[in-house]
């Protein structure tokens, strides 16, 4: 594929996808235009775009505080310290807005940029000057400012006195609002007091996933909401009493809501859906917009009943009292609505004597698995829900004047963002129906967002922008996306005017696409994409086959698929413990309690493996299923029976088991004595390994001691994002690694000494690594890339696979030097001592490699007197923004890095015998997973080059994973499976994907035989 050909292919894909019509539609597409005077805008929020977190007098806010913690709760461990750098580049944003043709720009003020402590006694003039500059630039370009006072970024000093739990903040917020009105109200004529107080209350003060990470669902969330509603009313009255007459502006509030559709047409589910609407939207809207004011009666009733059942003397839902009810009621000049998606609601009683906002409702919500996904797990594409929602608001609140203040779609950052363009087209069309057909009183629409930004707990892993921002470039350049062009045309047309000649218009296809037509469209897209060739290639595709005897497999891990978390005597492990915490650190708040239910459905997995044609299945044992406490004195026979049944089923189907002893799921009772930080675990792991060898070794001939000890050490015991969430990078991570390496050696020697002669098996370890490419060809960057390889892969490989053993010399040198500079009397990197060096060295029969992606390394010093594994290396890592993305932010598609990596291992460790034990691609769960099929094809082809052209000693390959599963901290938001699993169906059915068919063909061909005709 030539560059010209690639451009042609992309254009053809866009043309085809553009003709596929909306992803979900209940009604035909409607031609027509919005009423005269309808206004169009785009939005952002201060913390998400501004950066300059501590510049020019700005104070710290709760998101600064949260993201600077070791475990900041952000999926990619990023911060908003720079974000899109709009503090310095706001004119670029104004230019993007003008190019799009919007009438207005909705942005928020950073409270702590104006009032660093949150209080009126310390005003930061630089902050006021900044917003004056933004407002003036907008007006100079014919764009009206719509200003939000509060978008979740409370000044940290106010949080330290309780934040939204302290009623004192009502008056403090009033002072802040008064300052804003007096400073900017001569030019700002439209104000929003709060953005989405539901999110601040439930996620920030209830479940604790957002800043300020307060956990107390069903109690503290209700208090936080109570004080925000009061604060809104206080600001409205200050404007109404003091500024309206002279400034001639208006002021409202923005509330967020999805549409809740009954899951069935039963009376119970219809009532549940209505109740869910009142608990979500009515909670904040009813006190302000209803005739009677106060909280919705059904909410008051249900919270009071649950409170009484739980032993509370009064309802957990605070009472306003009549004075506050009257003061709040009617305090809005318009209804601001943020809407993105819909859900299905069904009647459900939550058991247990605990408090929870969700439990109070007697409702469970879910998504229809047929609804198309986005890069945000919670955002499904359901355009018709938008129309139903605005009609519900119109009916509930007497034709209230409404403006849509946010609506948008999450992807991974594509410039040719066809899915976003289709989302906007479909949702805006439903909005037009609500106005033109239903008579809803809607006067404006706002796209979220004008630019890519810091997407709260998702960091930079999800993108919503009409314009892309390159967050790897210090200049933060903006690039116009396809969706920006589509939105600009909708604005210019004020909707969707009927084409002059309908029979020739692409939009007519968009309107009338039938189910059969949809299938045709998908097939055509697959055909086009399939001809586009690999996304990234340094060399031409190689035809050929793998050596005779090359083996093919697929993999899973116990916690990720089994479920049955507390069944039949299984003990608790560190992931059970972590995910059951209120803030479990999981992107979608899910657990592995059921997962793919392979504890009960392992025969379905075996059937999928057999259908794919694999030679072997790599799976892991659940240590706590076999030894509930982790120790040998309590053996759970039911656990042993489960794995015997699985092993026997594999062998009966001609599939060889490759068994991993440890895949990150340490028994919780061992963690309570220090886990991998306690050297006692070395002998305990040896006992566990000995039991596994004696129980299964008559049939299992290939063993892996540890899966990716780097991840367990660095993410579990260093930065603390994974279980067991121990924070101590540069210290506890090194200790955890040290004890895992010793434990590996202990297990290997137990097998070698006691089982090898009779069982005739082999045992190794699986290590993970990307390829590290120098960012430039400077000597410093080349050395940095090699140092990164030694710190990542060499950390675990050098003690086991090198001639000399022990940690890599460069790692020992750098950690010792940094330790001395930081005042440590000895290196923070533990020493083995010669006895352990000799005991560990050579403890392998093969090298297991997990590989997914590639990074760039450049030399760089990290300043500050703190300890950190990353700081110890004197380098920074990044990824080329041109590399294609996946649904996992860290996984970019770089096939040529695979070949470079296995060559590096081959050269570094003397032609070691290697098997690839994981390799795969993350998406959002598509069955027709073209991107995954292409990933496998290109990566496997690079592996074949490494064998056939370079002479690397590689004997097998494993696809990750045979089925979709619980993807650790990403929960079920990312999918890696060759087979889809419907996690919304209790039966957890498996569905074969396109990639499974492609992989099966590669296995059947043992590679890529040249076609008979050129």
């Amino acid at each position: 594929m030539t560059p010209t050909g690639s451009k042609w292919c992309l254009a053809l894909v866009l043309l085809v996808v553009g003709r596929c019509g909306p992803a979900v539609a209940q009604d035909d597409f409607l031609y027509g235009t919005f009423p005269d005077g309808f206004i169009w805008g785009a939005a952002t929020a201060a913390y998400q775009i501004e950066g300059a977190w501590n510049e020019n007098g700005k104070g710290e806010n709760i998101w600064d505080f949260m993201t600077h913690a070791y475990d900041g709760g952000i999926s990619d461990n990023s911060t908003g310290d720079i974000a899109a750098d709009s503090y310095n580049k706001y004119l670029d944003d104004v230019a993007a807005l003008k190019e799009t043709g919007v009438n207005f720009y909705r942005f928020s003020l950073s409270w702590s940029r104006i009032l660093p402590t949150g209080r009126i006694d310390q005003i930061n003039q630089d902050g006021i000057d900044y917003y004056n500059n933004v407002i003036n630039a907008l007006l100079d370009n014919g764009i009206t400012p719509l200003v939000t006072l509060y978008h979740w970024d409370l000044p940290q000093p106010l949080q330290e006195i309780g934040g939204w739990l302290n009623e004192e903040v009502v008056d403090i917020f009033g002072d802040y609002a008064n300052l804003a009105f007096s400073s900017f109200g001569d030019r700002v004529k439209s104000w929003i007091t709060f953005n989405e107080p539901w999110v601040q209350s439930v996620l920030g003060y209830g479940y604790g996933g957002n800043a300020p990470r307060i956990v107390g669902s069903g109690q503290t969330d209700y208090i936080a909401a109570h004080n925000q509603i009061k604060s809104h009313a206080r600001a409205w009255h200050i404007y109404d009493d003091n500024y309206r007459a002279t400034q001639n502006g208006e002021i409202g509030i923005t509330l967020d809501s999805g549409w809740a559709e009954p899951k069935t047409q039963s009376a119970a589910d219809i009532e549940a859906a209505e109740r869910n609407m009142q608990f979500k939207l009515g909670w904040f809207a009813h006190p302000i917009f209803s005739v009677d004011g106060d909280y919705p009666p059904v909410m008051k009733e249900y919270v009071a009943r649950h409170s009484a059942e739980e032993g509370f003397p009064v309802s957990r839902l605070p009472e306003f009292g009549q004075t506050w009810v009257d003061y709040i009621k009617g305090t809005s000049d318009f209804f601001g609505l943020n809407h993105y998606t819909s859900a299905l609601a069904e009647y459900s009683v939550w058991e247990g004597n605990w408090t929870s906002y969700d439990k109070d409702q007697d409702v469970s919500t879910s998504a229809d698995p047929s609804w198309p996904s986005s890069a945000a797990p919670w955002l499904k594409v359901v355009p018709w829900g938008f129309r139903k929602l605005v009609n519900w608001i119109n009916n509930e609140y007497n034709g209230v004047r409404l403006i849509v203040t946010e609506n948008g779609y999450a992807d991974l950052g594509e410039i040719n963002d066809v899915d976003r363009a289709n989302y906007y087209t479909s949702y805006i069309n439903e909005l037009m129906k609500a106005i033109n057909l239903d008579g809803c009183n809607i006067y404006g629409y706002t796209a979220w967002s004008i630019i890519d930004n810091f997407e709260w707990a998702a960091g930079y892993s999800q993108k919503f922008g009409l314009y892309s921002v390159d967050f790897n470039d210090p200049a933060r350049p903006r690039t116009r996306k396809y969706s920006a062009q589509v939105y600009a045309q909708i604005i210019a047309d004020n909707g969707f005017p009927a084409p002059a000649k309908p029979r020739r218009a692409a939009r007519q296809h968009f309107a009338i696409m039938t189910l059969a037509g949809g299938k045709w469209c998908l097939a055509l897209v697959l055909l086009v994409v399939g001809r586009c060739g690999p996304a990234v290639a340094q060399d031409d595709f190689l035809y050929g086959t793998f050596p005779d005897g090359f083996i093919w497999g697929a993999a899973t891990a116990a916690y990720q698929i089994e479920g049955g978390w507390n069944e039949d005597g299984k003990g608790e492990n560190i992931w059970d413990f972590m995910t059951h915490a209120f803030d479990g650190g999981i992107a979608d708040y899910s657990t592995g309690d059921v997962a793919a239910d392979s504890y009960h459905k392992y025969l379905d997995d075996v059937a999928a493996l057999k259908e794919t044609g694999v030679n072997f299945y790599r799976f892991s044992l659940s240590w706590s299923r076999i030894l509930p406490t982790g120790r040998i004195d309590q053996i759970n026979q039911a656990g042993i029976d489960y794995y015997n049944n699985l092993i026997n089923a594999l062998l009966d189907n001609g599939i060889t088991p490759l068994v991993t002893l440890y895949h990150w799921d340490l028994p919780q009772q061992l963690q309570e004595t220090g886990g991998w930080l306690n050297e006692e675990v070395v002998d305990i792991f040896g006992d566990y390994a000995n039991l596994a060898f004696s129980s299964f070794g008559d049939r299992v001939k290939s063993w892996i001691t540890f899966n990716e000890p780097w991840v367990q050490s660095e993410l579990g015991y260093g930065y603390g994002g994974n279980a067991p969430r121990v924070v101590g990078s540069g210290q506890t991570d090194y200790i955890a690694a040290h004890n895992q390496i010793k434990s590996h050696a202990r297990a290997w020697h137990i097998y070698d000494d006691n089982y090898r002669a009779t069982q005739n098996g082999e045992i190794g370890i699986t290590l993970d690594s990307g390829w590290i490419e120098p960012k430039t060809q400077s000597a410093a960057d080349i050395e940095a890339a090699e140092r990164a390889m030694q710190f990542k892969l060499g950390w675990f490989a050098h003690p086991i696979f090198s001639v000399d053993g022990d940690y890599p010399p460069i790692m020992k040198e750098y950690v010792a030097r940094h330790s001395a500079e930081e005042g440590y009397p000895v290196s923070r990197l533990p020493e083995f001592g010669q006895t352990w060096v000799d005991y560990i060295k050579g403890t392998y029969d093969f090298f297991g490699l997990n590989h997914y992606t590639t990074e760039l390394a450049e030399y760089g010093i990290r300043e500050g007197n703190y300890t950190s594994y990353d700081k110890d290396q004197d380098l920074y890592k990044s990824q080329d923004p041109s590399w294609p993305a996946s649904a996992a932010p860290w996984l970019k598609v770089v096939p040529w890095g695979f070949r470079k990596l296995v060559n590096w291992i081959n050269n570094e460790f003397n032609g070691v015998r290697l098997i690839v034990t994981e390799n795969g691609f993350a998406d959002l769960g598509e069955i027709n997973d073209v991107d995954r099929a292409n990933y496998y094809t290109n990566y496997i082809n690079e592996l074949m080059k490494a064998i056939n052209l370079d002479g690397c000693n590689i004997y097998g390959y494993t696809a990750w994973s045979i089925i979709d599963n619980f993807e650790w901290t990403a929960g079920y938001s990312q999918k890696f499976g060759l087979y889809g699993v419907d996690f919304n169906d209790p039966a957890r059915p498996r569905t074969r994907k396109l990639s499974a068919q492609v992989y099966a063909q590669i296995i059947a061909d043992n590679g890529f035989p040249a076609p008979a005709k050129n």
Side-chain angles (χ1 to χ4, degrees):
M1 181 62 65
T2 65
T4 302
S6 299
K7 290 179 181 177
W8 170 85
C9 180
L10 175 61
L12 184 54
V13 171
L14 290 176
L15 174 63
V16 172
V17 175
R19 289 177 177 268
C20 290
V24 177
Q26 285 198 327
D27 305 309
D28 289 342
F29 190 86
L30 177 70
Y31 290 109
T33 58
F34 285 81
D36 291 342
F38 191 86
I39 57 173
W40 301 91
T44 62
Y47 184 77
Q48 295 183 266
I49 67 164
E50 284 181 5
W53 79 275
N54 61 351
E55 292 185 32
N56 298 333
K58 178 187 170 293
E60 186 178 43
N61 65 45
I62 55 176
W63 282 90
D64 296 322
F65 183 84
M66 170 175 159
T67 59
H68 294 162
Y70 271 107
D71 173 20
I74 309 302
S75 66
D76 57 3
N77 298 314
S78 60
T79 75
D81 288 359
I82 302 175
D85 197 25
S86 291
Y87 183 71
N88 298 298
K89 297 180 69 68
Y90 66 90
L91 291 177
D92 291 2
D93 300 339
V94 174
L97 292 158
K98 186 172 185 178
E99 185 176 36
T100 308
V102 299
N103 308 116
F104 67 91
Y105 176 38
R106 180 188 169 216
F107 65 95
S108 74
L109 306 179
S110 167
W111 187 346
S112 61
R113 193 177 296 285
I114 294 172
L115 297 175
T117 67
R119 297 176 184 270
I120 198 66
D121 57 359
Q122 184 181 337
I123 298 172
N124 179 33
Q125 187 60 44
D126 283 325
I128 291 176
D129 291 345
Y130 168 68
Y131 293 113
N132 274 323
N133 292 337
V134 173
I135 291 165
N136 292 338
L138 290 168
L139 294 170
D140 289 346
N141 284 275
I143 301 167
T144 299
L146 170 55
V147 177
T148 303
L149 291 173
Y150 184 75
H151 199 127
W152 308 349
D153 50 354
L154 188 73
Q156 180 62 23
L158 296 184
Q159 182 55 39
E160 291 168 5
I161 63 165
W164 293 111
L165 304 182
N166 185 344
E167 193 169 10
E168 182 187 357
V169 84
V170 176
D171 290 331
I172 297 172
F173 182 78
D175 292 337
Y176 160 56
N178 188 67
L179 177 63
F181 301 150
S182 63
S183 299
F184 312 121
D186 58 326
R187 289 150 294 151
V188 174
K189 305 304 177 185
S190 293
W191 296 93
I192 291 169
T193 55
F194 282 80
N195 177 80
E196 300 186 357
W198 183 93
V199 174
Q200 177 70 101
S201 302
V202 173
L203 301 189
Y205 287 84
Y207 291 114
N210 280 14
R213 303 190 82 177
I214 302 295
V215 175
S217 183
Q219 298 186 65
T220 45
D221 43 4
Y222 292 150
I223 297 169
H226 203 67
N227 287 326
Q228 287 176 86
I229 294 168
K230 288 182 173 182
S231 298
H232 154 77
R234 178 60 47 82
W236 188 91
H237 280 288
I238 289 170
Y239 191 84
D240 193 55
D241 293 343
N242 301 296
Y243 295 98
R244 189 187 299 276
T246 57
Q247 294 184 354
N248 299 310
E250 59 181 359
I251 182 168
I253 189 170
T254 277
L255 306 179
D256 66 298
S257 185
W259 170 245
E261 180 80 0
K263 191 167 186 178
T264 73
Q265 287 305 300
S266 69
D269 283 2
I270 292 170
E271 290 171 5
E274 174 64 19
R275 194 161 59 248
N276 183 249
M277 289 299 303
Q278 294 292 353
F279 263 79
K280 176 70 186 281
L281 186 54
W283 182 6
F284 298 90
H286 201 275
I288 298 168
F289 295 97
S290 72
V291 173
D292 297 326
D294 206 352
Y295 292 122
V298 72
M299 186 176 188
K300 294 168 69 175
E301 173 194 343
Y302 270 64
V303 178
R305 176 171 59 79
H306 277 278
S307 299
E309 291 170 353
E310 294 154 2
F312 288 84
V314 297
S315 176
R316 290 178 275 100
L317 186 68
E319 292 186 3
F320 284 118
Q322 195 58 48
T323 300
W324 270 106
V325 167
D326 294 339
Y327 185 78
I328 294 165
K329 188 171 54 177
T331 55
S332 198
D333 301 321
F334 57 84
F335 190 122
L337 174 67
N338 292 356
H339 172 74
Y340 291 87
T341 193
S342 292
L344 302 175
E346 62 181 318
Y347 171 72
S348 177
V349 176
W350 301 49
E351 300 297 338
N353 189 30
W354 46 283
T355 69
S356 160
Y357 161 77
D358 287 309
K359 181 187 174 193
D360 283 339
Q361 301 178 49
D362 290 352
V363 176
S364 291
T365 58
S366 60
D368 187 320
S370 71
W371 294 345
S373 298
S374 72
W378 54 271
L379 201 168
K380 307 298 182 182
V381 181
V382 196
W384 52 262
F386 197 10
R387 180 181 179 186
K388 288 194 173 188
L389 173 62
V390 294
N391 269 275
W392 186 91
I393 295 169
N394 194 71
N395 295 331
E396 187 77 5
Y397 302 116
N398 304 305
V400 65
R401 181 169 170 262
L402 184 146
I403 180 172
V404 176
T405 43
E406 287 182 26
N407 178 238
Y409 177 86
D411 65 13
L412 300 172
E414 297 85 344
I415 300 298
N416 295 291
D417 55 340
V418 177
D419 289 337
R420 176 174 292 106
N422 285 344
Y423 178 99
Y424 278 131
T425 301
S426 302
Y427 272 69
I428 294 172
N429 195 254
E430 291 296 317
L431 191 70
M432 188 176 72
K433 294 175 189 175
I435 298 170
N436 293 354
L437 302 183
D438 309 330
C440 292
N441 185 11
I442 304 168
Y443 70 95
Y445 173 89
T446 316
W448 180 272
S449 168
I450 188 64
I451 57 172
D452 290 340
N453 52 51
F454 177 85
E455 192 48 45
W456 306 112
Y460 301 103
S461 66
Q462 300 168 8
K463 306 297 196 301
F464 278 84
L466 292 161
Y467 284 69
S468 171
V469 176
D470 183 352
F471 295 104
N472 293 310
D473 187 333
R476 296 297 195 269
R478 279 72 164 146
T479 302
R480 195 184 196 201
K481 300 181 188 177
Y482 174 66
S483 61
Q485 302 172 52
V486 171
Y487 185 47
Q489 189 62 54
I490 293 171
I491 294 172
D493 291 341
N494 199 34
F496 311 94
K501 298 180 179 180
R503 66 183 180 85
R504 298 185 59 189
R507 285 201 183 107
Q508 191 168 30
H509 293 278
F510 191 85
I512 64 173
M513 183 60 65
T514 63
L515 179 62
K519 291 179 179 176
W520 169 85
C521 182
L522 173 62
L524 183 55
V525 172
L526 292 175
L527 174 63
V528 172
V529 174
R531 291 179 177 270
C532 290
V536 176
Q538 285 198 329
D539 304 306
D540 290 339
F541 191 86
L542 178 69
Y543 288 106
T545 57
F546 285 81
D548 292 342
F550 191 86
I551 58 174
W552 301 90
T556 61
Y559 184 77
Q560 294 183 265
I561 66 162
E562 284 181 5
W565 80 274
N566 61 351
E567 292 187 37
D568 300 333
K570 177 187 169 292
E572 186 179 42
N573 65 46
I574 55 176
W575 282 90
D576 295 323
F577 183 84
M578 170 176 159
T579 59
H580 294 163
F582 270 111
D583 174 20
I586 309 302
D588 57 3
Y589 304 99
S590 60
T591 74
D593 289 359
V594 180
D597 198 24
S598 291
Y599 184 67
H600 301 103
K601 298 180 69 67
Y602 66 89
L603 291 176
D604 291 1
D605 301 338
V606 174
L609 292 158
K610 187 172 184 179
E611 184 176 37
T612 307
V614 299
N615 308 115
F616 67 91
Y617 176 38
R618 180 186 168 219
F619 64 94
S620 75
L621 306 178
S622 167
W623 187 346
S624 61
R625 192 177 296 284
I626 294 172
L627 297 174
T629 68
R631 298 177 185 268
I632 198 65
D633 58 358
Q634 185 181 337
I635 299 172
N636 181 34
Q637 187 60 43
I640 291 176
D641 292 344
Y642 168 68
Y643 292 113
N644 274 325
N645 292 338
L646 173 58
I647 291 163
N648 293 339
L650 290 168
L651 294 171
D652 289 346
N653 284 275
I655 300 167
T656 299
L658 170 55
V659 177
T660 303
L661 292 172
Y662 184 74
H663 199 127
W664 309 349
D665 51 353
L666 187 73
Q668 177 62 23
Q669 290 197 29
L670 296 183
Q671 181 55 36
E672 291 168 3
T673 63
W676 293 111
L677 304 181
N678 184 345
E679 193 170 10
E680 181 188 4
V681 81
V682 176
D683 291 329
I684 297 172
F685 183 78
D687 292 338
Y688 161 55
N690 188 64
L691 177 63
F693 301 149
S694 64
S695 299
F696 312 120
D698 58 326
R699 288 150 295 150
V700 175
K701 304 305 176 183
S702 293
W703 296 92
I704 292 168
T705 55
F706 283 80
N707 178 81
E708 300 186 358
W710 182 92
V711 174
Q712 177 69 102
S713 303
E714 200 50 49
L715 302 189
Y717 288 84
Y719 290 110
N722 281 15
R725 303 189 82 176
V726 174
V727 176
S729 183
Q731 300 186 64
T732 44
D733 44 4
Y734 292 150
I735 297 169
H738 203 67
N739 288 327
Q740 286 176 88
I741 294 169
K742 287 182 174 181
S743 298
H744 154 78
R746 178 61 47 83
W748 190 91
H749 281 288
I750 289 170
Y751 191 85
D752 195 56
D753 294 344
N754 302 295
Y755 296 97
R756 189 186 300 277
T758 55
Q759 294 184 355
N760 299 308
E762 60 182 0
I763 182 168
I765 189 170
T766 278
L767 306 179
D768 67 299
S769 185
W771 170 245
I772 311 295
E773 182 79 1
K775 190 166 187 178
T776 73
Q777 288 305 300
S778 69
D781 284 2
I782 292 171
E783 291 171 4
E786 175 62 21
R787 194 161 59 249
M789 288 299 304
Q790 294 293 352
F791 262 80
K792 176 71 186 280
L793 186 54
W795 182 5
F796 298 90
H798 203 275
I800 298 167
F801 296 98
S802 72
V803 173
D804 298 326
D806 207 352
Y807 293 122
I810 193 73
M811 186 177 187
K812 293 168 69 176
E813 173 194 341
Y814 271 62
V815 179
R817 175 171 59 79
H818 278 277
S819 299
E821 292 170 353
E822 294 154 3
Y824 288 84
V826 296
S827 176
R828 290 178 276 98
L829 186 67
E831 292 186 4
F832 284 118
Q834 196 57 47
T835 300
W836 270 105
V837 167
D838 294 339
Y839 185 78
I840 295 166
K841 186 173 58 177
T843 54
Y844 69 91
D845 300 316
F846 58 84
F847 189 123
L849 174 67
N850 292 356
H851 172 75
Y852 291 87
T853 194
T854 290
E855 293 178 288
L856 303 174
E858 61 182 317
Y859 172 75
I861 303 293
R862 297 170 189 258
E863 301 295 341
N865 188 29
Y866 66 97
T867 67
S868 158
Y869 162 77
D870 288 314
K871 181 186 175 192
D872 282 339
Q873 301 176 53
D874 287 353
L875 59 89
Y876 288 89
K877 288 186 284 190
S878 61
Q879 291 180 305
D880 188 321
S882 71
W883 294 342
S886 74
W890 53 271
L891 199 169
K892 308 299 183 186
V893 181
V894 196
W896 51 262
F898 197 10
R899 180 180 179 186
K900 288 194 173 189
L901 174 61
V902 294
N903 269 276
W904 187 91
I905 295 169
N906 194 70
N907 296 331
E908 186 76 7
F909 301 115
N910 304 301
V912 66
R913 180 170 171 261
L914 183 145
I915 180 172
V916 176
T917 43
E918 287 182 26
N919 178 238
F921 178 85
D923 64 13
L924 299 173
E926 296 85 345
I927 298 301
N928 294 290
D929 54 341
V930 178
D931 290 335
R932 178 174 292 108
N934 285 343
Y935 179 99
Y936 279 130
T937 300
N938 294 323
Y939 271 69
I940 293 170
N941 196 254
E942 291 296 318
L943 190 70
M944 188 177 70
K945 295 175 190 175
I947 299 170
N948 294 354
L949 302 183
D950 308 331
C952 293
N953 186 11
I954 304 168
Y955 71 93
Y957 173 87
T958 316
W960 180 273
S961 169
I962 187 64
I963 56 173
D964 290 339
N965 53 52
F966 178 85
E967 194 46 46
W968 307 112
T969 56
Y972 302 103
S973 67
Q974 301 168 7
K975 307 296 196 302
F976 277 85
L978 292 160
Y979 284 69
V981 175
D982 183 353
F983 295 104
N984 293 311
D985 186 332
R988 296 298 195 271
R990 279 71 164 147
T991 302
R992 196 184 195 200
K993 300 181 186 178
L994 173 69
S995 61
Q997 303 171 53
V998 171
Y999 185 47
Q1001 190 62 53
I1002 293 171
I1003 294 172
D1005 292 339
N1006 200 35
F1008 310 95
K1013 296 181 179 180
N1014 187 9

